[in-house]
Amino acid sequence: ALLAVVLRFDMIRAGVVVVSYNSADVLGACLDACLRLEGAEIVVVDNASSDASLDVARSRTGVRLIANPDNRGFAGAVNQGFA
C-alpha cells in the first residue's frame, strides 16, 4: 500500500512554465494561482519585457525566473522553461 501511495504521489507532481512578455497586469494573479498548486515547480520565462513583469515575478517566493535579454518567441521560451 505504501508503494502505491509513493508512486501515485510521484505521478501527480506538476510543473508550470509561464511565458511572459509585457504581462505585468495579469502575471501576479497567474502566479498566485499557480502557487496554490502544492509541490509544483513554477518557472517564469520572460521574453525581454519592458514593463514591470520582472518585478512581479521576482516578488513571488517560490518562482524561478529566467529573464531573456531578447524575445525568443513562445516555443523557445517554453523549451527554456522545461530544460
Side-chain angles (χ1 to χ4, degrees), residues 16-45:
V16 178
V17 176
V18 178
V19 177
S20 174
Y21 178 72
N22 293 329
S23 304
D25 57 335
V26 295
L27 185 58
C30 173
L31 294 177
D32 291 343
C34 292
L35 287 166
R36 289 193 287 272
L37 298 170
E38 189 174 321
E41 179 184 2
I42 301 159
V43 179
V44 173
V45 182

Side-chain angles (χ1 to χ4, degrees), residues 65-80:
L65 173 63
I66 300 171
N68 288 331
D70 56 341
N71 189 334
R72 298 186 181 175
F74 180 78
V78 169
N79 288 334
Q80 272 186 287

